Amino acid sequence: MKTNKGEWKYHVILIISVALLFYPLIYMVTTSFKTLNQIFSAGLNLITTNPTMENYHTVFSSLSVGKFLINSLIIALIVMSCKIITSVLAAYALVFMDLKHSNLLFNLFTISMFIPFSVIMIPNFLTLSKLGLMNTLLGVALPQFADAMGIYRIRQAMRTIPKSLVEAARIDGTGHFTSLRRIVFPLVKPSVVAMCIFFFINSWNEYIWPMLILKREEMYTITLALQVFLDTESGSAWGSSMALASIATLVPMVLYILAQRQIIGTFMQSGVKE
């Protein structure tokens, strides 16, 4: 395979970009195996000369890590399930049903993606407070039951399917839900799987919103539990914080590695057939 002589410049840029992106992650993991003295004496050095499991022992002995993982898992599964259901149903309606002003509805969905979270944060907080859902896992998940990004991505995937397939099924008397289940869904399944992973990871990594809703420690998510080791007055336990952060990162990293092809394909597919 012939390559252009100037391509090495792009490879250098890519290598530098990857190094900058992965350096904090590698530093987090290696620091979790260092003592406090080693952390401050080593600076930004990634190499751990005498690794220790002391930080992980501190995390598991002082916190209910299993409980926090379960809380994060419950919220992430609820959010993922509701988002993917609403996204698939909305995308199908926009593509295969003769809705009046469907393009306008789609544009409104798209515009909502650009609304900052800080704008809707206070209204959501007040609504959940009046509903009595503070300090509950449902309170964290409820405002996230629909997602404009999911509607957009899955709609783009469905637009690659010939409408004649669904129209033929409709002529034979097949209902919309049957058409969606037997015809459309199998063809967009990779995109649906990718968006499931995307939704799950986003929900798992949330920090600000759970911090506003959950005040009791037993209801904490795994990311929210990080604040237990961060104290500006008595000093932060950096080694334990890095250990807990490494544990919190493990689940989304594994999910992304397993579904990276579907995720990349879905984002590439979103530019097809505008």
Side-chain angles (χ1 to χ4, degrees), residues 30-42 48 50-55 238-239:
T30 57
T31 302
S32 68
F33 294 99
K34 297 178 181 178
T35 63
L36 190 61
N37 291 332
Q38 290 175 333
I39 292 173
F40 286 104
S41 62
T48 305
N50 297 310
T52 177
M53 296 296 293
E54 178 183 349
N55 295 319
W238 295 112

Side-chain angles (χ1 to χ4, degrees), residues 10-190:
Y10 300 104
H11 288 288
V12 171
I13 295 174
L14 287 173
I15 292 173
I16 294 175
S17 301
V18 170
L20 291 174
L21 289 172
F22 274 88
Y23 180 87
L25 180 64
I26 298 173
Y27 179 77
M28 175 187 70
V29 175
T30 57
T31 302
S32 68
F33 294 99
K34 297 178 181 178
T35 63
L36 190 61
N37 291 332
Q38 290 175 333
I39 292 173
F40 286 104
S41 62
L44 297 178
N45 188 4
L46 296 178
I47 301 175
T48 305
T49 53
N50 297 310
T52 177
M53 296 296 293
E54 178 183 349
N55 295 319
Y56 288 93
H57 180 268
T58 301
V59 168
F60 283 99
S61 61
S62 59
L63 294 177
S64 301
V65 178
K67 177 63 175 176
F68 299 149
L69 288 172
I70 292 175
N71 291 340
S72 294
L73 183 63
I74 292 173
I75 294 173
L77 288 176
I78 293 174
V79 171
M80 179 194 71
S81 301
C82 292
K83 279 187 176 182
I84 204 64
I85 291 172
T86 54
S87 296
V88 169
L89 293 177
Y92 179 89
L94 290 171
V95 176
F96 297 106
M97 297 177 68
D98 296 327
L99 298 178
K100 196 173 183 179
H101 308 302
S102 60
N103 289 331
L104 175 61
L105 291 173
F106 175 70
N107 290 332
L108 291 175
F109 284 136
T110 306
I111 291 173
S112 68
M113 291 191 296
F114 301 96
I115 299 176
F117 171 72
S118 56
V119 174
I120 61 175
M121 179 175 61
I122 295 177
N124 284 338
F125 180 86
L126 294 176
T127 301
L128 292 174
S129 179
K130 292 179 179 179
L131 292 175
L133 294 177
M134 300 297 293
N135 286 310
T136 64
L137 301 183
L138 180 60
V140 178
L142 184 60
Q144 307 177 68
F145 278 8
D147 189 275
M149 177 65 73
I151 296 172
Y152 175 80
R153 299 292 182 188
I154 296 177
R155 171 188 179 268
Q156 295 302 92
M158 288 185 180
R159 282 171 63 86
T160 62
I161 302 173
K163 285 189 176 181
S164 57
L165 293 177
V166 176
E167 290 173 353
R170 293 288 297 153
I171 292 173
D172 291 338
T174 303
H176 283 295
F177 281 103
T178 304
S179 298
L180 172 61
R181 181 169 55 88
R182 294 185 178 180
I183 300 174
V184 177
F185 185 80
L187 296 176
V188 297
K189 188 176 180 179

Side-chain angles (χ1 to χ4, degrees), residues 213-232:
I213 302 300
L214 305 176
K215 300 301 180 183
R216 297 199 305 268
E217 185 173 318
E218 63 269 18
M219 302 302 296
Y220 280 1
T221 61
I222 189 65
T223 53
L224 198 57
L226 289 169
Q227 63 181 325
V228 174
F229 296 107
L230 301 177
D231 192 335
T232 56

